[in-house]
Amino acid sequence: MSESIGFNKLHKGVQKWIWSQKWASLRDIQEEAIEPVLDADCDIVISASTAAGKTEAAFLPACSKLIGQSPDGVGILYISPLKALINDQYRRLQGLCEILGISVTPWHGDVLRSVKIKQRKNPNGILLITPESLESLLLNQGSWCSKAFKSLCYIIVDEFHAFLGTERGCQLQSLMHRLEFLIQRTIPRIALSATLGDMKQVADSLRPNKRLPCKIIESTVSHSDLKIQLRGYLTPAQQNEETESTMDEIIGDLYKILRGKSHLVFANSRARTEEIAAKLSDLCVQSLVPNEFFPHHGSLSKEIRESLEARLQKEKLPTTAVCTMTLELGIDIGSVDSIAQVTSPHSVASLRQRLGRSGRRGEPSVLRLFIPEDEITVNSHLLDRLRVHTVQCIAMINLLLKKWYEPASLNQYHFSTLVQQTLSVIGQYGGVRAQQLWALLCETGPFSVVDQSLFAIFLRGLGENDLITQTADGQLVLGYKGEKIVEHYTFYTAFNTPEEYRLEYNGKAIGTVPIDKPLVREQHIIFAGKRWEVLFVDDENKLIGLKTAKGGKPPKFSGDGLMVHDIVRQEMRRVYSEKITPVYLNDAAKSILKEGIDNYHALNLDNKQIIQAGSTVHALPWLGDQTINTITVLLRMHGLSADCFGGIIDIRNTTINDFFSAVKHILSNTKVSPTELASLIPNTIIEKHDPVIPKELRDIGYGARSFNVDAAYSWINRLWHNHSVHRTLVTSRL
């Protein structure tokens, strides 16, 4: 450490802990973070891949500062998106903090009441918390927060990229702002984030009002080598009970390839996670070998999840976790040999985050993708003919290698979260004037796109729904329904959480299921990688009793995919156009890709974006879902039966001439706004508190989130111009 300038600035106890770890040197981000964290005069974004030392980069200098200042109360507030990550960081920080004499307190729904009482009586040290638990503290114990956080030195937000552009992220921004307002001090914020394409955008999201400057510290260390394989699978057009299903074939390959080592398998949905884990476990039983395949998702009980995490950390037994995004974030699970992705990933950013779980300790990162496609028949849709799933995976891998990642969707209204934060602030202070609310939440807070006129409409809507009411002296207080909402345990989450049924076996809870369709008695299901029969369903207590069984299908969990970005679709077109065949495809994937590329060129899609197939016109703008959605609704507005799937717009029972007639009308009329388009959507109730938001505001929020009017009109203009030029050329030739 003699060459390290920063090391000598750290507290002696911190230095002692570093020596005990036998580190030869500090990592680049750890060295670079020491001075700005100690200076505490700016916000900081520390960006690097998983297991690159981000936690230590923040906490080593922050703890050094804490020892020097001896704050009267909590010194560091650490906010995490996951309870499991809090538990993990608690374990990781204990050794350091024992040397320094700093207490570390985890605080979430699963933490013992006695631990919380101890912190309440004597607030001190480092508090590890989720946004939802912080919401509860501010609402219910505002006076305690005022005392406990009065000397706060830092707010550290882990996995900050997971919050960007979401309702929960907006809640987090509001909570940090409200906390500073409560203690009347600006607290330096440190965000730990995966490396994303536009780090300045990440920095701007950390403190939207820019009251402090923000320093970006990004790791310059190159990542380990990357090994990729994309395996293709063909689903026969006609399958019978005797035919092995494509998913069974994929599961068989997962078993052969992964058994004997440790891996993560990402399956995009909880239902598929359970199916894969159960069938892999069945294969272990059939082979008379110990099971090493286990599911991991948010509905499993804490004991089941933590048992699997501990097994991965010990690295003594081969262990494969079949998981949702719960293991995408930075929980310390030790080193895994590879990452498997079953079906297409949602985004390049998600793929990068998942890949970061592999390739530690100098070993190459290994990524295997298992991508099924349907066999092509005379009735196949254009999506299948073009092999869109396979090409989208290739495009995402290309962009991953170029280090491009989707930017967060910013400048959203987040009216649903504004409902929550409005009720929470009123509940916290008992009564607030409308101007004070707007100044706190909108003028200086994260809802800056909501001006005073919109806020007035917003408050009237809450009043009409009896969520708030106004006293004779002009104070806004909670109405009868508002009090009921705030008092309910689900209030603290900003996002939709469907009512969950608790699953019990022999009186012991094994998890919960947020199900779209209720389970019924004697139904067979898969959960926790095992097969069960439903004994009883107690709707009043939301309880389902189970017994072990042999058959079963995964319960239908809720959850939707993310929107595909413009850049991904444009890269897909480049793959088709340049006939790119990556070296990492197996023979089946090469054959599948060749079909897609051949069909693309047979249809002359390099030169055409509109084609007729029977009575259906297909439009291929090669743009993201926001823009595709906009074009689709514009076409519907002008009388066409348009729908969109996977980036392709289908217009049924029409001709190309009718299509261009509609395009001409679109361009000759006044340009519509996103809000006008949203007003045509039958149901814009999407987020948690949307039902109480006036429809005119709901349309504004939905329009801003779902549509890209400028990009849609730009494409339509280009299309019409090319069509007009083509008609002119044809006429002149005649």
Side-chain angles (χ1 to χ4, degrees), residues 155-202:
I155 298 175
I156 298 176
V157 184
D158 207 349
E159 303 289 357
F160 185 63
H161 53 279
F163 291 106
L164 293 175
T166 67
E167 296 290 317
R168 197 180 186 206
C170 190
Q171 176 191 22
L172 172 63
Q173 289 173 334
S174 183
L175 290 170
M176 291 190 292
H177 182 63
R178 285 169 55 192
L179 180 57
E180 290 184 341
F181 177 79
L182 179 68
I183 62 177
Q184 291 295 294
R185 287 176 51 237
T186 301
I187 311 301
R189 301 174 186 176
I190 303 172
L192 311 181
S193 173
T195 301
L196 300 177
D198 186 353
M199 292 310 301
K200 186 180 182 305
Q201 186 193 58
V202 178

Side-chain angles (χ1 to χ4, degrees), residues 635-652:
L635 292 171
R636 285 181 191 162
M637 282 178 67
H638 290 81
L640 297 183
S641 299
D643 285 300
C644 52
F645 313 92
I648 297 175
I649 302 171
D650 292 350
I651 307 104
R652 299 180 305 282

